Amino acid sequence: YLYNNRYAGDQVFRIHPNTEEEVGRVKSILGHIKVDLWQPNSLSMITHNATVDVHVKHNDVLRLHTCLKQDHISYEVFITNLQKEIEKQTGYRSSRRRR
Amino acid sequence: SASQYDYEVYHSLEEIQSWMFEMNRTNPDLVDMFSVGKSYEGRPLYVLQLGKRSRPQKKAVWIDCGVHAREWIGPAFCQWFVKEALSSYKHDSVMRRLLNQLNFYIMPVFNVDGYHFSWTTDRFWRKTRSKNRKFHCRGVDANRNWKVKWCEEGASSHPCDDTYCGPYPESEPEVKAVAKFLRKHKKRVKAYISIHAYAQMLLYPYSYKYATIPNFNCVESAAQTAVSALYSAYGVKYRYGPASTTLYVTSGSSIDWAYRNGIPYTFAFELRDTGYFGFLLPESLINPTCTETMRAVKTIATGLLKKC
């Protein structure tokens, strides 16, 4: 595996905070989980009506689902297995090369 | 060799650097290669200069890619630009005129240490790889480290944050080296372009404040023409405008610094996509993304040859 399979089961969430209150909730939730923000680049830049793309480690995926559902915050998962996407992006070529 | 190099896959730092040497070796009349300095971990910061050696004081365009390590489509575009420029010089009158009348400084990988790290260890690394004296966290956001409104809104002073501005302006050797080069050549460099991803936007100053730049009409018109040219390729829409209102307020950015340093046209491209693949844009989309961006960059450069 690429990167020693370290991204197996990781997911990328796309979160849609629609109100200032939801922005506050999203900042608080993401502030308590170790996440990798893809867009925007820091919690302070999260605003309503702008999406938040966040990479979450596999062992925090369930927790984030639970928190967002509890607060009725709109979201979807746009990458369900990050390792697979990484393998697809370059893995295919390196396996070709291996062949 | 140059003819077998695959421009439609992502390449490691080593592959890109040997490709640069090959471009330099096989195109003696149009290409020069030099280093503007060394990275934090001691790697050379290579730049290719493209252009006919006609007269010393030609106007110039600077294009850097790979400021943020995980944005791999950036270095792919810089390689694509070089390939297209050199291969079309003979048969494309627009490109021939550009290379005859302008020099292009192309820096395929600005953040060489971070890019190498994103290939070997952490695919989503963003920053440089400099060490911090007090914290275990490493790296500075190379687009928050420039000496313009440094470390104010939109940057973090905490070393573990992804938007960490650094211990002081130009603390990063990579930033200092490029700033030094652009300061030295400021009279000739008329456009600064920095390639990032992802969001599908074309941004221009200011990033650090909600205000209008003095030459707004010329820059706005150049941006509009550029995104129209981009759209003409595959119908992909890019938003454009001042970075502060189009994306968000950030301080210490390269386009603000370059603009304040006297370069009248400074742009940041946020290439594809808007968040289906994010940083993992598949290799199958390198071709269309680079083709459309090539059209945009050519119109920006062509605009420099006219009066605004």
Side-chain angles (χ1 to χ4, degrees):
Chain A
Y1 288 103
L2 294 176
Y3 304 95
N4 294 323
N5 205 29
R6 67 180 277 185
Y7 300 103
D10 288 12
Q11 296 193 343
V12 182
F13 284 56
R14 162 152 289 187
I15 307 170
H16 310 273
N18 294 314
T19 64
E20 278 309 324
E21 189 201 347
E22 288 190 357
V23 166
R25 287 297 307 138
V26 169
K27 286 182 179 179
S28 169
I29 292 168
L30 299 183
H32 288 89
I33 301 176
K34 186 166 171 25
V35 296
D36 170 24
L37 267 173
W38 282 19
Q39 288 277 21
N41 299 312
S42 71
L43 290 180
S44 61
M45 296 175 181
I46 294 177
T47 59
H48 70 282
N49 296 333
T51 57
V52 179
D53 294 347
V54 58
H55 161 203
V56 185
K57 293 306 293 173
H58 61 279
N59 43 16
D60 282 320
V61 163
L62 188 57
R63 191 171 156 206
L64 184 55
H65 275 290
T66 307
C67 291
L68 294 173
K69 282 194 172 86
Q70 263 169 6
D71 286 336
H72 309 293
I73 292 172
S74 155
Y75 74 96
E76 77 248 22
V77 177
F78 81 78
I79 295 181
T80 53
N81 186 330
L82 204 48
Q83 185 68 33
K84 212 176 283 179
E85 284 308 315
I86 291 174
E87 300 284 352
K88 259 196 255 174
Q89 190 187 39
T90 53
Y92 169 68
R93 178 163 46 89
S94 58
S95 62
R96 247 189 348 232
R97 180 167 295 172
R98 272 200 294 277
R99 269 205 307 280
Chain B
S1 75
S3 57
Q4 287 158 338
Y5 193 76
D6 190 344
Y7 292 90
E8 299 193 26
V9 298
Y10 296 107
H11 290 277
S12 67
L13 179 65
E14 294 74 19
E15 289 172 348
I16 295 173
Q17 290 179 335
S18 54
W19 165 82
M20 292 176 81
F21 278 103
E22 190 62 10
M23 289 293 105
N24 184 43
R25 186 184 68 82
T26 54
N27 299 277
D29 53 343
L30 283 175
V31 176
D32 259 326
M33 179 172 171
F34 57 90
S35 169
V36 290
K38 293 261 188 198
S39 70
Y40 177 84
E41 293 177 337
R43 294 182 174 91
L45 300 170
Y46 288 128
V47 175
L48 288 178
Q49 174 186 307
L50 271 59
K52 198 76 180 163
R53 278 189 205 78
S54 46
R55 48 197 162 79
Q57 290 311 312
K58 285 167 82 178
K59 286 182 184 177
V61 177
W62 169 278
I63 302 177
D64 61 46
C65 300
V67 170
H68 291 136
R70 60 189 175 183
E71 300 165 7
W72 285 10
I73 188 63
F77 173 72
C78 264
Q79 295 168 78
W80 188 277
F81 179 91
V82 172
K83 181 258 295 184
E84 278 298 304
L86 298 178
S87 62
S88 64
Y89 177 74
K90 287 191 169 61
H91 64 265
D92 176 341
S93 60
V94 172
M95 186 54 79
R96 184 163 57 252
R97 183 165 170 249
L98 289 175
L99 292 179
N100 287 347
Q101 300 202 27
L102 298 170
N103 280 336
F104 289 84
Y105 295 112
I106 311 295
M107 186 180 205
V109 188
F110 182 107
N111 178 4
V112 287
D113 299 343
Y115 187 74
H116 180 264
F117 192 71
S118 75
W119 267 77
T120 56
T121 312
D122 180 346
R123 173 66 188 77
F124 303 106
W125 187 259
R126 167 186 168 92
K127 302 190 285 183
T128 63
R129 289 294 297 158
S130 56
K131 283 191 178 131
N132 186 282
R133 271 196 299 234
K134 294 177 199 136
F135 286 79
H136 69 281
C137 304
R138 293 185 68 154
V140 168
D141 183 339
N143 206 27
R144 300 292 187 283
N145 188 237
W146 297 73
K147 198 180 283 184
V148 58
K149 285 286 179 185
W150 176 77
C151 219
E152 295 193 18
E153 190 179 351
S156 168
S157 56
H158 193 294
C160 294
D161 286 348
D162 255 356
T163 54
Y164 176 44
C165 56
Y168 53 88
E170 295 182 21
S171 61
E172 303 311 286
E174 301 84 353
V175 172
K176 191 169 192 65
V178 172
K180 187 178 165 198
F181 178 86
L182 292 174
R183 266 192 286 263
K184 182 178 172 190
H185 297 278
K186 65 193 275 185
K187 286 194 170 41
R188 290 192 302 111
V189 180
K190 299 302 178 191
Y192 170 88
I193 297 172
S194 193
I195 308 291
H196 294 257
Y198 58 91
Q200 288 178 204
M201 290 178 181
L202 177 54
L203 306 170
Y204 52 80
Y206 295 104
S207 315
Y208 69 81
K209 65 178 178 180
Y210 299 114
T212 304
I213 48 177
N215 63 333
F216 172 81
N217 293 336
C218 293
V219 171
E220 169 82 359
S221 152
Q224 186 182 27
T225 309
V227 297
S228 302
L230 190 149
Y231 178 81
S232 70
Y234 305 103
V236 171
K237 288 197 172 89
Y238 271 50
R239 292 176 58 206
Y240 64 95
S244 55
T245 50
T246 311
L247 194 53
Y248 28 67
V249 171
T250 59
S251 59
S253 76
S254 64
I255 61 170
D256 281 350
W257 179 88
Y259 186 79
R260 289 257 299 249
N261 185 57
I263 299 174
Y265 293 87
T266 71
F267 296 101
F269 277 86
E270 290 282 348
L271 300 188
R272 291 193 198 185
D273 60 12
T274 55
Y276 183 80
F277 293 106
F279 297 118
L280 296 173
L281 196 72
E283 290 174 332
S284 57
L285 292 179
I286 290 176
N287 183 318
T289 302
C290 293
T291 299
E292 65 193 14
T293 308
M294 191 75 202
R295 293 191 183 190
V297 170
K298 278 175 79 173
T299 63
I300 290 171
T302 304
L304 298 179
L305 302 180
K306 300 168 190 158
K307 221 65 193 110
C308 173

